[in-house]
Each structure stands twice: as structure tokens, then as C-alpha cells.
């Protein structure tokens, strides 16, 4: 893969008290690549994602975005977070706001877009995730899968360079998992750079360019899906 390196992890370490969450993790994510992180719970996958967007600070090593080390300051990290979309297990939508207001919020408050610009961007994204007809609904009236698709639209509204997904389907009913994975597959097909923590092996096999296997805070294997699964 000749594409530029978007994320570069070098010997990243993180511990919580005596628990070693990340034990010298090194890997790279290239532009347009979909990388799935798999492995048992507690093996460090989500911690790596949280260190990537500054929700946790690594205790050692370095993470770079487009060749520049992530800043240590909260102000600097805020600028970096504009360039990374993050989708969590829980949808974290504002319950008192409509679906479209949730999607518009970042562009209006952070990017300082006009409400009209933000609204037209939000409408395009709700169509992309198949929820145009729910624009004026409130999150409580939506299924879990629909709420997660709104959360994806909200992250995309910031026009990020890279999308981070932390087990985006683990809180969903089995029948709504597919609709979220289909949206993610479409993003991958459009060339979005994605790092996905997942237990959905069929998704990793079908969509990932590379699968990274974690165990006890370290990478034990990485390679194309065929190599990992077959």
C-alpha cells in the first residue's frame, strides 16, 4: 500500500495502576485503509482508540496524525479531534434535540458554519445513513441501530480525515447490527480511513484491508483478513 500514513503508533504504552493496558503497540494506518482491531475484551483495543483521540494520555511512546505527534495539551487535542470522527458503543445523542439538530450541532458550534450550511450538510448525511425521514424525530423514538446511524452522521458532519469506531454494534439488538455495518461498509467503499474495534468477525473479514489481533495489551498478529482468518 503506497498511500500516505495517516496514523502512526510507535511503542505506545498505557497502564491503569498495575494493569498494563497497552504494552508497546506499534502499527500504522494508511490513507483509505480500513483496519479492524480484534481480540478478547480487556486486550487494549479500545484503550488504543481512546489514546488516539486524546480521551486517554499514553504513558509512553508516540501517536502521530499525518506525521505530526499528537499534542499533549487539551487545547491542541481539541483541534486534532476535529479531524477524527469517533463513534462509541453508546450513542451519546442529545435526547432533547431532534435528529437533525444533533447532526448540525458540531458544524455550527465548532466549525462555525451558518445554520443553513449546517442543515444542508446534515440533510445529505442523514440521507447517506438512510434516515432522512427521521430528521425531525427525537432520539428516544428511534431504534438502537437508527440512533447509532445518527451518531455516525454526526461524526461525519465534521468532515473528518479518519473515523474511529469503538465496538459500534455491541449495544445493539442483533436485527439492527446489519444496518449499521452496511453504513460502515459504504464509508469504506468510498475510501474513508477507518479504525474499527469490533467483535463482528464477518465484517472484519469482508471489509478490512488489515486485521490487527490484540492480546494482553500487545499486537500478536496483523495482516490481511485471509491471512488472519484462514
Amino acid at each position: 500500500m503506497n498511500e500516505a500514513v495517516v496514523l502512526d503508533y510507535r511503542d505506545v504504552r498505557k497502564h491503569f495502576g498495575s494493569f498494563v493496558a497497552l504494552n508497546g503497540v506499534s502499527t500504522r494506518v494508511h490513507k483509505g485503509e480500513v483496519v479492524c482491531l480484534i481480540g478478547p475484551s480487556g486486550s487494549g483495543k479500545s484503550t488504543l482508540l481512546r489514546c488516539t483521540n486524546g480521551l486517554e494520555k499514553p504513558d509512553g511512546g508516540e501517536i502521530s496524525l499525518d506525521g505530526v505527534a499528537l499534542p499533549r495539551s487539551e487545547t491542541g487535542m481539541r483541534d486534532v479531534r476535529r479531524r477524527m470522527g469517533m463513534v462509541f458503543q453508546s450513542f451519546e445523542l442529545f435526547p432533547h434535540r431532534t435528529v437533525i439538530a444533533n447532526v448540525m450541532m458540531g458544524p455550527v458550534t465548532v466549525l462555525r458554519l451558518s445554520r443553513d450550511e449546517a442543515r444542508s450538510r446534515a440533510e445529505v448525511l442523514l440521507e447517506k445513513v438512510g434516515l432522512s425521514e427521521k430528521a425531525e424525530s427525537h432520539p428516544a423514538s428511534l431504534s438502537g441501530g437508527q440512533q447509532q446511524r445518527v451518531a455516525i452522521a454526526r461524526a461525519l458532519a465534521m468532515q473528518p480525515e479518519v473515523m474511529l469506531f469503538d465496538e459500534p454494534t455491541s449495544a445493539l439488538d442483533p436485527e439492527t447490527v446489519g444496518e449499521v455495518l452496511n453504513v460502515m461498509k459504504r464509508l469504506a467503499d468510498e475510501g474513508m480511513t477507518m479504525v474499527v474495534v469490533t467483535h463482528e468477525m464477518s465484517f472484519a473479514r469482508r471489509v478490512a484491508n488489515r486485521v490487527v489481533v490484540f492480546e494482553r495489551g500487545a499486537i500478536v498478529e496483523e495482516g490481511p483478513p485471509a491471512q488472519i482468518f484462514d
Side-chain angles (χ1 to χ4, degrees):
M1 179 164 272
N2 303 322
E3 292 284 6
V5 175
V6 176
L7 287 167
D8 193 0
Y9 301 91
R10 288 191 294 276
D11 196 32
V12 180
R13 298 172 182 276
K14 177 71 184 174
H15 50 79
F16 300 99
S18 61
F19 176 72
V20 178
L22 295 172
N23 192 9
V25 169
S26 298
T27 189
R28 288 174 155 186
V29 179
H30 294 83
K31 185 174 172 59
E33 192 177 27
V34 178
V35 177
C36 284
L37 312 183
I38 67 171
S41 294
S43 58
K45 311 177 300 293
S46 293
T47 302
L48 188 69
L49 230 51
R50 292 174 70 82
C51 287
T52 306
N53 86 337
L55 293 172
E56 302 286 355
K57 295 271 186 283
D59 296 314
E62 191 172 80
I63 303 172
S64 300
L65 176 67
D66 289 336
V68 179
L70 295 187
R72 289 286 174 173
S73 72
E74 182 53 35
T75 322
M77 242 358 265
R78 271 206 294 275
D79 291 336
V80 168
R81 282 194 201 111
R82 293 180 192 187
R83 299 163 59 195
M84 295 186 201
M86 181 131 181
V87 178
F88 300 89
Q89 295 178 24
S90 55
F91 325 118
E92 322 243 331
L93 299 175
F94 292 102
H96 59 292
R97 291 178 180 266
T98 61
V99 162
I100 197 158
N102 266 280
V103 179
M104 287 169 62
M105 222 176 143
V108 170
T109 56
V110 180
L111 302 181
R112 302 277 183 249
L113 259 59
S114 73
R115 294 195 68 78
D116 287 347
E117 279 179 292
R119 187 175 183 92
S120 56
R121 183 182 290 190
E123 285 169 349
V124 168
L125 289 168
L126 287 175
E127 186 171 348
K128 188 189 196 87
V129 299
L131 288 172
S132 296
E133 78 288 355
K134 299 289 187 186
E136 301 303 333
S137 304
H138 282 79
S141 69
L142 273 52
S143 72
Q146 289 171 330
Q147 289 188 58
Q148 191 62 294
R149 285 187 281 154
V150 175
I152 293 172
R154 181 182 58 182
L156 291 171
M158 300 295 285
Q159 296 188 328
E161 293 163 47
V162 57
M163 285 285 286
L164 310 174
F165 292 90
D166 189 6
E167 297 192 34
T169 58
S170 67
L172 300 181
D173 298 328
E175 62 269 23
T176 61
V177 167
E179 64 193 46
V180 174
L181 295 179
N182 286 339
V183 168
M184 292 169 65
K185 177 158 188 351
R186 274 209 304 282
L187 286 181
D189 291 344
E190 290 168 8
M192 174 62 79
T193 308
M194 294 163 56
V195 185
V196 185
V197 173
T198 186
H199 292 294
E200 301 287 340
M201 295 304 139
S202 60
F203 175 81
R205 183 191 283 266
R206 199 175 85 216
V207 179
N209 301 101
R210 199 154 45 86
V211 177
V212 179
V213 186
F214 275 73
E215 199 171 307
R216 294 183 181 174
I219 293 174
V220 291
E221 192 180 357
E222 62 179 307
Q227 175 193 319
I228 300 298
F229 295 118
D230 303 331

